[in-house]
Amino acid sequence: MSVWAIVPFKGAENAKRRLSPQLSADVRSRLALAMLNDVLQALVDAKSVDGILLTSRSVEARRIAEKWDITLYRDQAHTLVDALTAASEKVKNDLNATTAIIVPGDVPLITGTDVDHVLHYHAAVTIVPDSHKIGTNALVCTPPNAFPLVFDGRSYQPHIEAANHLGLQVRSVQSDAFAIDVDTADDLLLVNSSRKHSLTQTLLNSEPELASLIKELKLAHHAPSVSVGAMPDNAD
């Protein structure tokens, strides 16, 4: 079995827009790059992965691919699903992959061991959900284009249903590391409190804007709560 990892990357410019109320565009850009590099490090370390395809049209993509000595595919797609579908065809037809594992660039807690764990339990289709079992944070397919992809933020159940519809054997593999994809400020807090040392965690502690946000989040999470309708003890 020849396994290729596919990592989509839209680019660092104006990345992670859901964090724009708390973080500047420059910091969000640096955060996106740190997370991507953590993901690529994990895939490079994974013993079960034979090659890595970065699918991106961003200006940083070539430099990143050269840094990691991985394959760059400049897709012409207008949506994430189309980009990943084209990339799956690429690894199957041009790179002789029998299996593809799609990994987003914003799961900075994963390690090579986590990737190997998922691939160890792979059958025909293996799906790794997010922490809420709503989205898909990793997807393994044999062959790489085994069934139509979804990836709309709520793709976990639709992916299971699409694979089952074609009679494919589907497995769901839980992974604490894969479960955390960074979209919100609370996700950053989870990454910061992780025992795993990462470029993302280093940035969270060293970049003043991020460090200030983390501090605020910690204070908020430890602040005593008052029930709705309740009065403080010292109220008149």
Side-chain angles (χ1 to χ4, degrees):
M1 183 170 70
S2 175
V3 179
W4 273 72
I6 298 173
V7 182
F9 182 58
K10 290 191 294 186
E13 184 177 358
N14 205 19
K16 293 297 166 186
R17 296 182 185 182
R18 288 177 62 181
L19 290 168
S20 58
Q22 296 102 343
L23 299 172
S24 66
D26 176 66
V27 171
R28 287 185 283 117
S29 173
R30 293 168 59 192
L31 176 64
L33 289 171
M35 292 192 293
L36 176 64
N37 278 284
D38 282 331
V39 168
L40 293 177
Q41 182 67 69
L43 292 171
V44 167
D45 292 342
K47 297 177 181 178
S48 305
V49 173
D50 300 300
I52 303 169
L53 183 80
L54 180 67
T55 179
S56 176
R57 289 183 287 174
S58 69
V59 295
E60 313 96 333
R62 184 171 299 281
R63 175 181 56 81
I64 295 169
E66 290 176 350
K67 172 187 175 182
W68 290 99
D69 192 24
I70 61 178
T71 302
L72 173 63
Y73 175 54
R74 293 193 176 277
D75 65 86
Q76 301 300 312
H78 296 291
T79 68
L80 174 61
V81 167
D82 288 344
L84 291 173
T85 300
S88 296
E89 292 289 340
K90 173 75 174 178
V91 296
K92 177 188 176 185
N93 297 329
D94 297 347
L95 301 172
N96 300 315
T98 58
T99 297
I101 175 170
I102 296 172
V103 182
D106 61 355
V107 285
L109 296 184
I110 67 170
T111 66
T113 301
D114 296 312
V115 176
D116 288 333
H117 170 77
V118 171
L119 289 169
H120 175 75
Y121 289 98
H122 175 60
V125 174
T126 301
I127 305 174
V128 184
D130 62 16
S131 58
H132 304 291
K133 288 190 175 181
I134 296 175
T136 302
N137 280 3
L139 176 65
V140 193
C141 292
T142 303
N145 56 352
F147 69 99
L149 303 177
V150 181
F151 286 110
D152 58 358
R154 307 182 67 84
S155 61
Y156 176 58
Q157 284 298 330
H159 275 151
I160 292 176
E161 292 168 6
N164 282 332
H165 180 72
L166 295 177
L168 300 171
Q169 181 181 3
V170 183
R171 287 179 179 172
S172 177
V173 176
Q174 304 296 313
S175 168
D176 290 341
F178 270 102
I180 306 303
D181 56 317
V182 175
D183 286 315
T184 68
D186 283 343
D187 296 331
L188 292 176
L189 192 59
L190 291 173
V191 174
N192 186 68
S193 62
S194 170
R195 293 182 179 181
K196 183 209 172 187
H197 174 72
S198 63
L199 291 174
T200 305
Q201 190 181 70
T202 298
L203 182 66
L204 292 177
N205 292 315
S206 62
E207 160 57 46
E209 197 173 316
L210 283 164
S212 176
L213 176 59
I214 293 297
K215 183 177 180 180
E216 292 176 8
L217 291 169
K218 287 181 177 179
L219 289 173
H221 279 259
H222 286 89
S225 59
V226 178
S227 300
V228 175
M231 294 292 289
D233 292 340
N234 60 350
D236 293 334

